[in-house]
């Protein structure tokens, strides 16, 4: 399909306050069947909420959105400001603005952007107020014609005025945070090379990639806000005076003149959390390359705000995240998300957990331990109460945490996300969605009553104008007697129909779970399949989160065979109960869903078609190519030479002679999570066996197809065609 056939997105963000109950009410069957099904173009034209933060006093909110720009073959990132007085308005329009944070006094918003610097030749030639929603040809990413693609820190006053950079030097920000008094912003960036080092590197290595030697340490810097804004306004661009460089200049690294270097780190500084008293800050490290090769790369450090030697506090095999100080500064809180390892033992895949740490002695305590689901995100309320998002079964709700105890707050059936609490006034900003209702941003005046929230946005109204699938949870017994749950999505108006063609659609992770939340993209397209005549079965197999640690841990060491038994038992139950036509079964999934798809087409010939993406077919080479090798080793009881039998017995490659299913394969050629070569290996095996297949490779895409929206569009278009080709309606 040509680009002109795509309807360009119109971002309609309304400040009208609709009750959550009204927004979430489901239309009747008769109304559904009278509406047309959603098209592929409409489905993938979705605007996503990339983030939302409430102002310190609760009177305003900044909302980040992401949407596809089909003409420019990229995704746009825009910031919006909501106030009770004026509603929603566009705050920025460069197309590359994200990760907004309020200043403590609520007068400024800091954000990241690679937009063109003011005063450059490119900025004068570009229309920064172009209508990005209309697909205007001018609406290309700011700086595309410039070699400078640096992601800098920018500030914009909410009272009105232009955004200004905090510095002009070429420093890509990795993370940043305001000081408690709002006078300073702390940020991290890779240590820049001197001019002499850059030239020597070009001369010595040309275009050769040095695998680990090119990784440079991170710097933790402090920028005084007022002085930095004045400095960038007064100074010329750094490249404006290239002539007259002397040897002393060529030996210096270029940092903002107002910046203070607090410390350096051999690892990337991925999060920064200043203590409430302003005397110290915590920071979290990660891999410089972003290859997740070792849990020990993710650790917490403390340092005085005046600088000095950083003190490492944690030494474990957990992937910590989301650093938050308690309001009194006595505790540093963090989470270890599902499959993020353990703070007190060897690595293992357990559910998300919440912890607090004593900054003096580093002692760690677990919070909310009575919760049997997965805790993924948390926030402090203005009165000091602690709330967290908890995934349990098919829903993610908000819970109050009191020591080991948890209590569910009142709310609508569905999935909450992205909680942000005001520092005063008791209000809460939160995102909410359900299967048939796109995510919106809601504001609750009382944080303990998210059920009384009002909607601030009305994104993606097209879904309400199209026929919606109906759905229900579904449970069955696995061969060992374990109860397994999943979700069934029916074609619109066909919840009572039987003997439907069925797509078994397997989630990735495996530490994830399908449930009552909205999804509309190249990865999560179950509702589109249902709208086009498929009964969609989404199994939460062994290894899924939200069902207890024991359920999650049972995936090891039988990485695919154990969850495979769960999935096939669910398919059998649905056929036996008359939901699914046994002669019209298909299967598909991406990432770990691709692993399972590849395995299951070697286990049975009942599936008439398969669509698989970024899934391994063997584990030894993938252990070498996958960046999360420690996770693979946990799944399979060791490294390849320590557990060769499992590496072979749990791999689809050694059973490919059983395959009869026509299979469609997709892969990003820059994927380091599941190597592109796994897709090549699967394609070669199918070619050798004479099995009908297709293989699409997306250039410059990693594990997530986030580079070019056309890649996701083509992926989904061809997968739907493949399924229809082999399983008729």
């Amino acid at each position: 399909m040509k680009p002109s056939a795509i309807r360009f997105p119109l971002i309609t963000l309304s400040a009208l306050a609709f009750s959550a109950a009204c927004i979430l009410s489901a239309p009747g069957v008769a109304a559904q069947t009278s509406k047309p099904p959603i098209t592929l173009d409409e489905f993938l034209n979705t605007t996503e909420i990339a983030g939302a933060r409430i102002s310190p006093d609760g009177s305003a909110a900044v909302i980040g959105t992401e949407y596809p720009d089909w003409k420019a073959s990229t995704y746009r990132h825009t910031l919006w400001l909501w106030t009770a007085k004026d509603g929603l308005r566009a705050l920025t329009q460069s197309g590359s603005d994200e990760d907004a944070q309020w200043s403590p006094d609520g007068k400024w918003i800091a954000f990241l952007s690679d937009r063109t610097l003011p005063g450059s030749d490119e900025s004068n030639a570009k229309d920064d107020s172009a209508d990005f929603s209309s697909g205007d040809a001018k609406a290309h990413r700011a700086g595309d014609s410039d070699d400078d693609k640096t992601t800098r820190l920018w500030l914009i006053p909410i009272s009105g005025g232009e955004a200004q950079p905090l510095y002009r030097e070429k420093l890509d920000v990795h993370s940043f945070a305001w000081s408690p008094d709002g006078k300073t912003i702390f940020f991290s960036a890779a240590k820049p090379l001197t001019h002499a080092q850059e030239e020597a590197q070009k001369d010595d290595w040309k275009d050769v990639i040095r695998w680990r030697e090119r990784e440079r340490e991170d710097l933790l810097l402090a920028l005084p806000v007022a002085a930095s804004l004045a400095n960038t306004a007064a100074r010329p661009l750094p490249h404006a005076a290239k002539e007259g460089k002397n040897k002393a200049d060529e030996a210096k690294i270029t940092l903002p003149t107002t910046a203070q270097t607090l410390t350096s780190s051999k690892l990337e500084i991925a999060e920064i959390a200043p203590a409430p008293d302003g005397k110290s800050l915590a920071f979290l490290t990660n891999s410089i390359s972003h290859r997740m090769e070792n849990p020990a790369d993710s650790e917490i450090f403390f340092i005085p705000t005046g600088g000095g030697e950083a003190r490492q506090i944690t030494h474990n095999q957990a992937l910590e995240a989301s650093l938050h100080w308690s309001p009194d500064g006595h505790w540093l809180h963090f989470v270890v998300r599902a499959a993020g390892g353990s703070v007190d033992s060897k690595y293992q895949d357990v559910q998300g957990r919440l912890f607090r740490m004593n900054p003096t002695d580093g002692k760690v305590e677990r919070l909310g331990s009575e919760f049997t689901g997965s805790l993924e995100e948390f926030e402090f309320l203005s009165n000091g109460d602690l709330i967290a998002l908890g995934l349990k079964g098919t829903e993610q709700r908000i819970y109050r945490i009191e020591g080991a105890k948890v209590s569910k707050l009142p709310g609508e059936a569905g999935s909450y996300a992205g909680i942000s609490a005001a520092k005063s006034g008791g209000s809460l900003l939160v995102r909410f969605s359900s299967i048939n209702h796109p995510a919106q941003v809601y504001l609750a005046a009382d944080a303990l009553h998210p059920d009384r929230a009002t909607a601030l946005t009305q994104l993606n109204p097209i879904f309400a104008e199209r026929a919606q699938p109906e759905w229900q949870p579904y449970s069955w017994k696995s061969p060992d007697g374990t109860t397994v749950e999943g979700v069934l999505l029916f074609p619109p108006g066909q919840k009572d129909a039987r003997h439907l063609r069925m797509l078994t659609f397997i989630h990735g992770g495996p530490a994830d779970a399908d449930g009552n939340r909205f999804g509309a993209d190249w990865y999560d397209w179950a509702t589109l399949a249902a709208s086009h005549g498929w009964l969609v079965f989404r199994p939460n197999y062994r290894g899924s989160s939200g069902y207890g640690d024991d359920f999650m841990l049972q995936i090891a060491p039988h990485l695919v065979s154990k969850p495979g038994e769960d999935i096939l038992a669910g398919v059998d139950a649905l056929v036996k109960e008359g939901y699914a036509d046994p002669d019209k079964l298909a299967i598909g999934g991406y990432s770990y869903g691709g692993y399972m798809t590849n395995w299951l087409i070697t286990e049975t010939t009942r599936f008439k078609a398969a669509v698989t993406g970024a899934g391994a077919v063997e584990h030894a080479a993938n252990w070498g190519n996958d960046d999360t090798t420690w996770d693979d080793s946990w799944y399979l009881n060791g490294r390849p030479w320590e557990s060769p039998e499992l590496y072979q017995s749990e791999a689809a490659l050694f059973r490919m002679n059983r395959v009869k299913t026509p299979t469609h394969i997709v892969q990003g050629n820059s994927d380091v999570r599941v190597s592109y070569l796994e897709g090549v290996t699967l394609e070669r095996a199918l070619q050798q066996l004479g099995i009908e297949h297709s293989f699409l490779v997306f250039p410059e895409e990693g594990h997530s197809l986030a580079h070019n929206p056309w890649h996701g569009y083509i992926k989904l278009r061809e997968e739907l065609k493949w399924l229809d080709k082999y399983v008729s309606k």
Side-chain angles (χ1 to χ4, degrees), residues 655-722:
R655 302 151 50 94
M656 292 301 293
N657 59 309
R658 305 179 182 187
V659 176
K660 303 296 180 186
T661 304
T663 302
H664 184 278
I665 314 162
V666 298
Q667 193 91 29
N669 73 345
S670 298
D671 194 344
V672 298
R673 184 58 41 81
V674 178
S675 172
Y676 153 70
L677 296 176
E678 292 295 313
V680 173
T681 301
L682 174 58
E683 191 280 335
R684 180 162 294 170
L686 296 174
Q687 178 72 13
Q688 292 281 316
L689 293 167
I691 305 300
E692 292 179 85
H693 68 282
S694 176
F695 184 29
L696 303 182
V697 180
F698 302 115
E700 299 183 59
E701 297 286 9
H703 196 57
S704 177
L705 306 184
H707 179 70
N708 184 341
W710 282 110
H711 294 157
Y713 182 93
I714 293 168
K715 169 191 178 290
L716 188 43
R717 180 191 69 192
E718 295 306 307
E719 288 175 330
L720 289 169
K721 287 166 59 177
W722 187 267

Side-chain angles (χ1 to χ4, degrees), residues 20 23 84 112 193 232 264 270 326 382 443 452 462 488 548 644 682 722:
I23 290 290
L112 301 182
L193 297 175
T232 56
S264 62
S326 58
S382 58
L443 179 64
R452 301 174 187 169
I462 190 67
L488 285 181
L682 174 58
W722 187 267

Side-chain angles (χ1 to χ4, degrees), residues 399-455:
Y399 294 82
R400 187 178 181 181
I401 310 296
E402 298 175 278
K405 298 180 179 179
V406 298
S407 54
K408 185 165 65 175
L409 299 184
E412 300 291 332
S415 293
Y416 291 83
I419 51 178
S420 175
K423 300 301 181 186
S424 62
S427 55
L428 180 73
L429 200 70
V430 65
R431 303 196 297 271
F432 179 86
S433 75
S434 58
I435 283 179
N436 284 327
H437 298 88
Q440 308 294 349
V441 178
Y442 291 82
L443 179 64
D446 181 352
L448 296 179
H449 281 277
D451 56 324
R452 301 174 187 169
T454 56

Side-chain angles (χ1 to χ4, degrees), residues 140-201:
H140 55 284
R141 190 177 180 92
D144 276 355
S145 62
D146 186 12
D147 290 337
D148 181 10
K149 300 293 292 182
T150 305
T151 299
R152 296 179 176 88
L153 266 168
W154 293 69
L155 257 63
I156 189 168
I158 67 163
S159 58
E162 297 295 323
Q164 293 295 325
L166 268 180
Y167 60 88
R168 293 179 176 271
E169 289 73 15
K170 292 189 176 184
L171 290 174
D172 280 301
V173 177
H174 296 155
S175 61
F176 74 97
W178 288 88
S179 65
D181 61 10
K183 295 180 179 180
T184 303
I185 290 184
F186 303 102
F187 76 101
S188 63
K191 182 178 181 180
L193 297 175
T194 67
H195 179 74
Q197 288 172 329
E198 287 182 351
E199 293 303 310
Q201 184 169 274

Side-chain angles (χ1 to χ4, degrees), residues 531-582:
S531 295
H532 287 257
W534 287 92
L535 169 64
V536 182
F537 171 43
R538 310 194 76 177
N540 290 333
Y541 48 82
R542 227 78 61 100
S544 300
S545 50
Y547 294 93
D549 288 345
D550 290 343
F551 186 87
M552 194 171 178
L553 289 166
Q554 288 180 50
I555 196 172
H558 301 293
L559 173 59
V560 287
S561 60
K562 176 60 72 174
E565 290 176 357
D566 293 343
I567 295 168
L568 291 182
V571 173
D572 288 341
L574 288 164
V575 169
K576 183 178 180 180
E577 293 179 31
Y579 286 100
D581 185 336

